[in-house]
Amino acid sequence: MLKVENLTARYGRAQILNGVSLELGGNEVVALLGRNGAGKSTTMKCIMGLVEQKTGVISYDGADLMRLPPHMICRAGIGYVPEERRIFPELTVAENLEVGRRPKRDGAPEWTLAHLFELFPNLAERQGNLGKQLSGGEQQMLTIARTLMGNPSAVLLDEPSEGIAPVIVEQMARVIAELKAEGLSVLISEQNLYFARAVADRAIIIEKGALRYEGSFADLDAHPEVSQQYLAV
Amino acid sequence: MGFYLAQLLTGLANASSLFLIACGLSIIFGVTRIVNFAHGSFYMVGAYLAYSLVTWMDGGIFGFWLSLLVAALIVGVLGLIVEVTILRRIYHAPELFQLVATFGVVLIVQDAALAIWGAEDLLGPRAPGLARAVRILGEPIPEYDLALIVIGPLVLGAIWLLFHRTRWGILVRAATQDREMVDALGVNQRWLFSAVFVLGSALAGLGGALQIPREAVSLQMDLSVIGEAFVVVVIGGMGSVSGAFVAAVLISVLNAFAILIFPQISIVLPFVVMAVVLIVRPYGLFGRPGSEAGGAEEPEQPLRLMSRRGAMVLAAFVLILAASPAVTGDFTSILLVDVMVAMLFAVSLHFMMGIGGMVSFGHAAYFGVGAYAAAMGMKYLGLSMLPAMALGPVAAAGAALLFGWFCVRLSGVYLAMLTLAAAQILWGVTYQWGEVTGGDDGILGIWPAGWASGDKAYFYLAMVLCVGGMFLLRRMAHSPFGYGLRGVRDSAVRAEAIGMDVKLHQWMGFTVAGAFAGLAGVVFVFSKGSVFPDVLGISQSVDGLIMVLLGGIHALAGPILGAGVFILIEDWVTRLDYWRVIFGGIILVVVLVAPDGVAGGVDRLLRAVGIRRGDAT
Ligand SMILES: Nc1ncnc2c1ncn2[C@@H]1O[C@H](COP(=O)(O)OP(=O)(O)OP(=O)(O)O)[C@@H](O)[C@H]1O
Ligand SMILES: [Mg+2]
């Protein structure tokens, strides 16, 4: 289980997170919702060890992650799919996947190339293409596939539906369902409530770097003023 | 026809050696983002080691080539030691720290080589089996040159395979594009960086080792090669191996033919080509904008206006300085002039870097132009001292106006490299154009006018000019122009958004910094009575950087303190035999232990004893 308690973070002088707490249980899909600039990406970067100035507690299956460098957090079983995708533009699709490859880990599903190409048929055809030659949707698939090559047990997905065509968004929803079916835990940041509702088991809303709501989508629907206030709906 | 072919082949042979050095440098930069001055030292050590091994083994063809490989391997191990003990600690430090730290390594290696191999140039043996020349179209071509022409592309091919056919190579290429992402994907960068450094150093060592049948091994090899290697890396695109190959061929072949037309051009040509390429393609031939310099985001502290007490302390210092000739000897006055010149030079460099946010590796250019302009004004125009003195800063401002226009179009390491190119071009021209500049012999007999000619009289003149110059620069740092410059430094985007002309601001900042460096040069030339090309050289530029670093970049008083400390240390250690080791050691200690410099150290001390308050972050 991934546990974040009272997390604060800042970039230089700007305080971005003011005490975020959340939990991601085994084989659970949780949506992290919030407006532009709410601190969703920063939360994920903190978990991944990519933010220096932070306080609080971050642990995974009981192991403290606060002081670990990103590669150790990855090796602990957490996969990270950044919002900007950050594929390697001058590497081919196959090479991009190779960078993500890690040995199988106990208690996590193992992803083979064949399985990934089944999940992302477009990538199979484009293995020899450079990362920068892919379309936005293909890049999004590649970045997820690259992370899965590390055989993680939990995945942080930062706004996977952002800026891609509606068909691909649908495909993305199927991919997330498949990840859950394989036994992964997924923390997915979103602005799009409809997409989040379709893929996630429950919701967390943050605003200005602090927790505003935590609960089921049913409860959220019963209190429309909450989403009204904190989400761009 | 045969003659031109011979010329081409010589060019290609040179290209091979140049490529070996440059590609190591480029690989290291691509992954670690370190501008590694010590790369030239690895090249030199490779040559020395190969010399020792070849003469010791004396084992025919096999022994010769084995010696070269072993030399390269040992240099690789040396690289590992440098990476683990020094560079690993400063990957996130600003470029200035990295540069100065690697320069500290240069100094230490120079003295180590001096201690081991002595000051004499060593003439290596010819390569067994390749000692003769073959005739091609009637022209004699050394067999060894032909071997080199083959070795260059072979190494390129081997590196290509390594980078495209092994997991390690793919990781290295990925890291040159986005090292943080590579980290987040579970790759321990420490080992990646170390391994890359070993590879790059070994290639430099191999480049040096391969030179021994062609040129004498000497203690000057390090700095003489590093400038050209930088040029090749920048032209090719930092981090690109094939770019380095193309650039090495381009430079060497151009050079081989250009010297037929204009024999003096060889020193200047590479830098001219680099300047042209950077202006047309700001990231080099094969470079990508994405591989922008990864210098650190240093937490910027706002400059504090000096407190009343601080101003009083400063005024007291100036008074003590003014009174010093009354109580000390002439010797001290002369030393104090050196100190003041260094201070003004450092403050002008700090204005450009600390306030303007532009790192310069070639600030000596403007110091030197100031010095030469004054000297030439006296010599050729028959000016008296004061008009000649006035000419210096004006000429330096002119040079800064010209070069600055090109430089401010770039940023980060590329800007720094272009400043280096500018300085090297000026140095090369000065060195080669003997009829006008006196070349290596310099210009002599530039003494102050009668009324300022005593050591004490000149001390006061120097004090007025230097202290006045520093005061003016300080005022400018706190003027609207200075605030504008800092705004541009902190966020060019934001400055642009509120309607500031970013490039114009930087250009003017560059010019102001150049003018005051020129003033320092003027005071310098009249205190020495002569000027030589080395006032424009890399060492002079690096001295300025060391002063700024010693003092601490964040405080306005930093460069003043740093320059003072620098000159006093220099005055003390250069009397010793192995002063470079001591000096290099001091630099490394400062970089590794007190990264906020002497001013920062003093500041912390004051805070610790409670004299100065403020949050200690
Ligand atoms: N590297 C950085 N330096 C300084 N401030 C930053 C940095 N990255 C993000 N911020 C600021 O932190 C705040 C939170 O950003 P964050 O990216 O976490 O928000 P988000 O919830 O992911 O928003 P979005 O939906 O736009 O992705 C924003 O105000 C942003 O401007
Ligand atoms: Mg975000």
Side-chain angles (χ1 to χ4, degrees):
Chain A
M1 187 172 70
L2 177 68
K3 215 170 176 165
V4 174
E5 273 171 59
N6 205 14
L7 179 67
T8 73
R10 53 202 196 113
Y11 294 115
R13 307 197 144 190
Q15 178 97 14
I16 306 296
L17 299 184
N18 307 297
V20 170
S21 300
L22 61 85
E23 284 183 6
L24 175 67
N27 203 14
E28 190 183 24
V29 179
V30 173
L32 180 61
L33 300 163
R35 285 210 189 94
N36 271 336
K40 306 182 294 291
S41 301
T42 306
T43 304
M44 291 193 165
K45 284 183 188 161
C46 283
I47 297 172
M48 209 54 213
L50 297 171
V51 177
E52 291 286 332
Q53 297 169 291
K54 57 179 190 281
T55 65
V57 179
I58 304 175
S59 69
Y60 187 57
D61 289 342
D64 179 18
L65 302 187
M66 268 310 267
R67 303 266 154 263
L68 293 186
H71 64 271
M72 292 307 290
I73 293 170
C74 171
R75 290 173 192 188
I78 299 183
Y80 171 55
V81 179
E83 184 174 12
E84 314 83 8
R85 299 174 190 142
R86 295 174 79 164
I87 55 155
F88 304 108
E90 306 287 331
L91 261 51
T92 63
V93 167
E95 287 170 339
N96 265 280
L97 294 174
E98 173 63 28
V99 176
R101 185 167 63 83
R102 299 215 53 83
K104 175 174 166 38
R105 181 180 302 102
D106 286 341
E110 184 175 16
W111 297 84
T112 59
L113 274 179
H115 190 175
L116 285 174
F117 287 148
E118 205 175 292
L119 204 56
F120 305 107
N122 305 33
L123 293 184
E125 294 157 22
R126 310 213 57 174
Q127 284 185 68
N129 285 96
L130 293 183
K132 63 181 176 189
Q133 295 165 332
L134 303 186
S135 69
E138 287 168 334
Q139 290 191 354
Q140 186 63 58
M141 293 174 195
L142 177 58
T143 179
I144 295 175
R146 182 180 64 180
T147 297
L148 292 177
M149 284 295 283
N151 301 318
S153 47
V155 179
L156 314 175
L157 276 182
D158 201 351
E159 296 208 35
S161 74
E162 192 191 11
I164 53 177
V167 240
I168 317 257
V169 175
E170 271 172 38
Q171 191 182 349
M172 214 52 78
R174 283 198 298 277
V175 166
I176 293 165
E178 169 81 7
L179 298 188
K180 183 172 161 83
E182 288 284 342
L184 290 179
S185 316
V186 181
L187 181 65
I188 173 170
S189 99
E190 261 308 323
Q191 291 197 50
N192 179 339
L193 184 57
Y194 302 99
F195 182 74
R197 200 199 322 264
V199 299
D201 302 324
R202 59 191 178 85
I204 293 172
I205 300 181
I206 59 173
E207 167 70 17
K208 298 210 175 99
L211 197 68
R212 304 293 168 171
Y213 173 84
E214 186 172 9
S216 67
F217 282 96
D219 276 349
L220 192 56
D221 291 339
H223 300 277
E225 71 282 358
V226 175
S227 18
Q228 206 94 88
Q229 192 176 352
Y230 299 121
L231 302 176
V233 285
Chain B
M1 186 61 220
F3 174 71
Y4 292 108
L5 182 70
Q7 221 43 40
L8 176 68
L9 290 177
T10 310
L12 289 176
N14 290 338
S16 277
S17 342
L18 197 50
F19 163 68
L20 286 180
I21 313 151
C23 81
L25 191 60
S26 198
I27 294 169
I28 288 174
F29 178 84
V31 176
T32 67
R33 292 290 185 270
I34 292 247
V35 174
N36 180 21
F37 256 104
H39 205 69
S41 306
F42 294 145
Y43 166 82
M44 178 177 80
V45 171
Y48 271 118
L49 283 171
Y51 171 87
S52 294
L53 287 166
V54 167
T55 42
W56 173 70
M57 267 203 223
D58 197 16
I61 296 181
F62 178 73
F64 176 83
W65 293 101
L66 183 68
S67 302
L68 301 200
L69 283 182
V70 171
L73 285 179
I74 298 176
V75 174
V77 173
L78 195 69
L80 181 68
I81 294 170
V82 170
E83 200 273 343
V84 170
T85 55
I86 301 165
L87 299 182
R88 187 173 275 191
R89 295 158 206 278
I90 53 170
Y91 283 133
H92 293 287
E95 286 129 9
L96 168 69
F97 286 69
Q98 303 173 341
L99 179 94
V100 171
T102 61
F103 198 78
V105 176
V106 170
L107 291 176
I108 292 171
V109 171
Q110 268 177 356
D111 264 0
L114 174 66
I116 299 172
W117 287 286
E120 296 286 314
D121 289 4
L122 303 175
L123 214 49
R126 289 173 172 263
L130 294 170
R132 289 165 305 142
V134 289
R135 289 209 168 260
I136 298 180
L137 294 179
E139 292 286 330
I141 312 284
E143 287 172 336
Y144 191 71
D145 276 12
L146 295 178
L148 279 182
I149 293 174
V150 177
I151 289 171
L154 276 183
V155 171
L156 176 65
I159 294 176
W160 192 91
L161 286 177
L162 182 66
F163 278 12
H164 288 84
R165 293 287 176 266
T166 68
R167 174 174 166 82
W168 183 80
I170 292 171
L171 293 180
V172 169
R173 281 164 55 225
T176 60
Q177 294 167 40
D178 188 343
R179 51 180 167 165
E180 194 183 63
M181 195 61 225
V182 171
D183 200 355
L185 289 168
V187 178
N188 185 353
Q189 298 195 58
R190 278 198 162 193
W191 293 114
L192 204 59
F193 281 28
S194 299
V196 161
F197 210 84
V198 169
L199 175 69
S201 312
L203 284 169
L206 183 64
L210 281 167
Q211 282 305 91
I212 58 165
R214 303 182 90 209
E215 64 171 311
V217 187
S218 77
L219 291 169
Q220 285 78 47
M221 283 175 93
D222 53 355
L223 286 187
S224 69
V225 82
I226 193 69
E228 217 167 322
F230 274 145
V231 167
V232 169
V233 170
V234 170
I235 292 178
M238 298 181 100
S240 165
V241 176
S242 32
F245 187 79
V246 172
V249 171
L250 180 75
I251 292 272
S252 303
V253 172
L254 264 182
N255 200 33
F257 289 103
I259 55 171
L260 298 178
I261 305 160
F262 192 42
Q264 283 88 24
I265 196 144
S266 62
I267 293 185
V268 180
L269 181 86
F271 293 97
V272 174
V273 176
M274 163 164 141
V276 171
V277 168
L278 277 186
I279 291 160
V280 181
R281 286 187 61 97
Y283 299 100
L285 295 176
F286 291 74
R288 287 177 305 273
S291 50
E292 177 59 29
E297 314 89 50
E298 17 175 345
E300 280 300 344
Q301 289 152 3
L303 286 173
R304 280 188 298 268
L305 269 169
M306 196 172 276
S307 65
R308 205 185 199 115
R309 194 189 302 168
M312 273 158 62
V313 170
L314 202 68
F317 266 118
V318 173
L319 280 178
I320 294 171
L321 194 63
S324 70
V327 289
T328 61
D330 285 351
F331 181 75
T332 310
S333 293
I334 294 172
L335 181 65
L336 284 176
V337 171
D338 285 351
V339 169
M340 291 187 297
V341 167
M343 283 176 174
L344 179 56
F345 181 57
V347 170
S348 75
L349 178 58
H350 178 263
F351 186 80
M352 177 154 165
M353 299 194 358
I355 314 283
M358 297 171 282
V359 178
S360 172
F361 291 174
H363 204 53
Y366 312 103
F367 183 82
V369 166
Y372 267 97
M376 287 158 76
M378 248 187 155
K379 196 165 168 193
Y380 296 115
L381 306 179
L383 298 179
S384 59
M385 181 182 77
L386 285 181
M389 279 189 152
L391 190 60
V394 173
L401 208 57
L402 174 68
F403 290 123
W405 190 84
F406 295 110
C407 289
V408 299
R409 256 132 260 278
L410 307 176
S411 60
V413 180
Y414 289 88
L415 185 153
M417 285 292 161
L418 197 53
T419 60
L420 176 69
Q424 288 296 100
I425 290 170
L426 285 173
W427 175 80
V429 168
T430 311
Y431 189 80
Q432 293 282 13
W433 202 11
E435 307 89 74
V436 174
T437 61
D440 209 11
D441 299 328
I443 299 177
L444 309 177
I446 311 300
W447 294 110
W451 59 268
S453 64
D455 284 332
K456 296 207 161 134
Y458 191 71
F459 169 85
Y460 283 111
L461 179 61
M463 187 174 141
V464 168
L465 292 175
C466 291
V467 174
M470 285 185 262
F471 180 74
L472 278 178
L473 271 173
R474 238 194 88 80
R475 289 309 298 254
M476 242 183 271
H478 284 299
S479 71
F481 172 66
Y483 290 125
L485 257 183
R486 292 215 297 280
V488 168
R489 173 200 68 189
D490 292 339
S491 173
V493 182
R494 233 176 296 158
E496 201 134 12
I498 60 168
M500 281 171 61
D501 188 337
V502 168
K503 296 272 171 267
L504 184 71
H505 255 84
Q506 289 183 318
W507 189 25
M508 289 305 118
F510 197 110
T511 306
V512 167
F516 281 92
L519 180 61
V522 163
V523 178
F524 171 83
V525 69
F526 282 100
S527 78
K528 302 289 174 213
S530 57
V531 61
F532 301 97
D534 54 357
V535 295
L536 293 147
I538 291 181
S539 291
Q540 174 75 22
S541 294
V542 174
D543 282 356
L545 292 170
I546 295 173
M547 293 174 206
V548 171
L549 176 115
L550 275 179
I553 186 112
H554 289 303
L556 278 180
I560 298 177
L561 268 173
V565 171
F566 180 91
I567 295 294
L568 295 179
I569 294 177
E570 190 182 46
D571 182 61
W572 163 60
V573 296
T574 47
R575 296 177 208 169
L576 309 172
D577 278 341
Y578 287 97
W579 64 271
R580 289 185 189 85
V581 161
I582 300 173
F583 210 68
I586 292 174
I587 291 172
L588 289 182
V589 167
V590 169
V591 169
L592 298 178
V593 181
D596 47 358
V598 177
V602 171
D603 206 45
R604 260 182 297 169
L605 203 70
L606 292 181
R607 261 184 210 144
V609 298
I611 292 181
R612 177 179 263 163
R613 264 168 296 168
D615 58 333
T617 47

